[in-house]
């Protein structure tokens, strides 16, 4: 992508409305724009990051055996009347009427709709277990939308829904998502700690929130320090192994960890003082097992091996991609801007032409840009005629992991400078070596 032809509206000044660093940096880097309170457009740079986050979520959901579909944002009120949540949900639900005066709503979550899909076609235990997910916009008319896309009214959610014949089966499905979440957040460069959590309007009695520790987090959390160093389940994790996944779940729930709603001061005080961590955190995922809470009122049942009909046991599993992007920034930035983990960086590398219009600089940059693009890399080429200082500041602000800097003096020697955004380390090398770094 040539910056001269891209749309990346950088802000020079710090936006006043932004209270936390991620919101400030997302606005300054031209990643998002508020359209009305708590409702955002994702501008091209932000969209790239969001897509990369979603790609990782999708890969790990698929690895754990979940199957992707797509459900609409607008739902009929009838389904919610069946489950009893239409009245219970309260003012967070945006209710609307269509031209026939039929009550509709902008979905805050999809338990009812997915249960309807399930009951319309699954009739036998032989088709279980089943886990269906989508990545879709939701709407919750939050009282206090704030911190940009961290807590917005319209936001994206990956929501998965599992169906099993028995409680034991449902627990295995829960453990699959539990392990998949540990892997997902790790790949996003985050350390998320599962904590016992309140179930709120979703319901049920088994639930974990996945929390990133951050000073700007909205939740108050209490946990054992050792979680920070626990091993993440590997790529070779066998998601069909009941014992294997149970062992992962047991290990990650063996020490104290709870959000303030579930906090038990006496139990926390049993943890040796030096190992207690009481901090603030950002909830990036939340998983629930709620048994037959929706399947019973909505009549979602299957024939079991005993020939009888059984209401299915369900769970739901949410991740907030539009919250994860600012959460990643909260965890990874410095005074100059964002520092993206390579896995979600909007571009793999930025090529900075320090003197656009200078033939040697232009030729060198074009050569590198073409070679890296051909090698399948996402390359941003700063071909604008801005001052070098402005270009460096922009490259640092948008947080691309590697900068290749082509200035007249180095280029005259057949060389460029390669800068690591995270460490700030700079290395001069031949043009060929710089290319080979990515191509090899
Ligand atoms: N149906 C269940 C799981 S699929 C559910 O709705 N769970 S939830 O309410 O906990 O939301 C799941 C995730 O969505 C949260 O962990 C959070 O990451 C994200 N999320 C929830 N509300 C917002 C919001 N207002 N803004 C941004 N992200 C949000």
């Amino acid at each position: 992508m040539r910056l001269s032809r891209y749309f990346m509206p950088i802000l020079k000044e710090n936006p006043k409305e932004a209270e936390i660093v991620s919101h400030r940096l997302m606005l300054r880097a031209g990643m998002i724009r508020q359209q009305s309170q708590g409702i955002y457009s994702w501008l091209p740079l932000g969209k790239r990051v969001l897509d990369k986050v979603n790609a990782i979520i999708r890969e790990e959901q698929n690895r754990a055996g979940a199957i992707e579909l797509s459900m609409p944002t607008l739902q009929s009120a009838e389904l919610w009347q069946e489950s009893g949540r239409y009245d219970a949900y309260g003012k967070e639900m945006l209710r609307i009427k269509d031209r026939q005066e039929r009550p509709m709503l902008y979905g805050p979550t999809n338990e009812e709709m997915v249960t309807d899909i399930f009951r319309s076609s699954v009739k036998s235990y032989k088709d279980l277990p089943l886990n269906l997910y989508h990545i879709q916009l939701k709407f919750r008319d939050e009282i206090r939308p704030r911190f940009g896309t961290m807590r917005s009214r319209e936001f994206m959610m990956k929501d998965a829904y599992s169906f099993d014949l028995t409680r034991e089966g449902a627990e295995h499905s829960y453990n699959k998502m539990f392990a998949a979440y540990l892997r997902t957040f790790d790949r996003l460069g985050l350390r998320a700690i599962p904590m016992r959590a309140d179930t709120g309007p979703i319901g049920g009695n088994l639930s974990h929130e996945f929390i990133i520790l951050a000073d700007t987090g909205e939740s108050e959390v209490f946990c054992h320090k050792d979680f920070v160093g626990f091993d993440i389940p590997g790529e070779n994790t066998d998601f069909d192994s009941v014992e294997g996944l149970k062992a992962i779940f047991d290990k990650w729930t063996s020490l104290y960890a709870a959000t303030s709603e579930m906090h038990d001061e006496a139990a926390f005080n049993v943890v040796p003082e030096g190992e207690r961590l009481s901090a603030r955190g950002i909830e990036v995922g939340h998983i629930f097992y709620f048994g037959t809470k929706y399947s019973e009122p909505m009549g979602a049942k299957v024939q079991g091996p005993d020939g009888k009909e059984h209401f299915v046991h369900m769970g739901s599993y949410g991740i907030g991609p539009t919250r994860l992007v600012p959460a990643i920034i909260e965890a990874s930035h410095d005074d100059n801007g964002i520092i993206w983990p390579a896995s979600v960086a909007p571009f793999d590398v930025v090529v900075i032409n320090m003197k656009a219009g200078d033939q040697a600089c232009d030729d060198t940059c074009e050569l590198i840009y073409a070679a890296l693009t051909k090698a399948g890399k996402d390359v941003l080429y700063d071909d604008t005629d801005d001052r070098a200082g402005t270009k460096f500041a922009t490259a640092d602000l948008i947080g691309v992991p590697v900068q290749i800097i082509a200035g007249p003096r180095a280029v005259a020697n057949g060389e460029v400078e390669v800068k690591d955004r995270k460490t700030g380390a700079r290395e001069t090398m031949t043009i060929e070596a710089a290319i080979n770094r990515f191509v090899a």
Side-chain angles (χ1 to χ4, degrees), residues 141-192:
D141 205 350
E142 302 263 354
I143 301 182
R144 276 195 83 190
R146 57 181 187 155
F147 302 157
T149 65
M150 189 77 91
R151 176 172 295 282
S152 50
R153 297 199 298 161
E154 188 187 59
F155 60 95
M156 195 169 271
M157 198 194 288
K158 182 290 297 178
D159 39 329
Y161 302 87
S162 67
F163 303 89
D164 282 272
L165 180 65
T166 61
R167 178 178 173 118
E168 293 69 45
E171 277 170 9
H172 179 51
S173 294
Y174 188 91
N175 293 345
K176 284 185 192 173
M177 288 292 111
F178 190 95
Y181 276 33
L182 291 173
R183 286 191 47 74
T184 303
F185 298 126
D186 182 63
R187 287 186 61 192
L188 297 173
L190 296 169
R191 169 57 48 149

Side-chain angles (χ1 to χ4, degrees), residues 294-433:
Y294 300 90
S295 58
E296 275 197 51
M298 297 187 67
K301 50 195 173 186
V302 294
Q303 191 171 49
D306 55 5
K308 294 189 186 137
E309 303 238 284
H310 300 264
F311 291 115
V312 287
H313 286 250
M314 292 174 57
S316 72
Y317 314 90
I319 293 185
T322 48
R323 175 176 290 179
L324 270 168
V325 174
I328 293 167
I329 297 174
E330 289 293 328
S332 185
H333 66 269
D334 64 14
D335 290 346
N336 297 329
I338 303 165
I339 303 173
W340 292 115
S343 59
V344 296
F347 295 97
D348 300 314
V349 52
V350 50
V351 178
I352 301 175
N353 187 341
M354 279 174 68
K355 200 168 180 201
D358 174 277
Q359 196 63 48
C361 283
D362 290 354
D363 289 349
T364 300
C365 289
E366 290 290 347
L367 180 82
I368 297 171
Y369 179 51
L372 298 187
T373 304
K374 187 157 174 249
K377 299 292 161 194
D378 283 331
V379 191
L380 180 66
Y381 170 25
D382 190 344
D383 60 340
T384 63
D385 44 24
D386 285 340
R387 288 183 307 113
T390 306
K391 294 190 179 196
F392 294 148
T394 299
D396 279 357
L397 173 65
I398 66 171
V400 175
V402 183
Q403 303 170 9
I404 298 181
I405 302 160
R409 210 171 312 150
V411 164
N413 296 328
E415 290 177 333
V416 288
E417 223 182 344
V418 177
K419 178 180 156 187
D420 181 307
R421 170 66 182 91
K422 188 170 181 182
T423 62
R426 289 160 171 265
E427 216 182 313
T428 302
M429 59 182 79
T430 63
I431 294 162
E432 199 186 6

Side-chain angles (χ1 to χ4, degrees), residues 109 111 140 142 150 152 155 159 283-284 286 288 317-318 320:
T109 175
E111 278 80 5
R140 293 181 184 172
E142 302 263 354
M150 189 77 91
S152 50
F155 60 95
D159 39 329
E283 179 209 317
V284 287
H286 197 163
F288 304 80
Y317 314 90

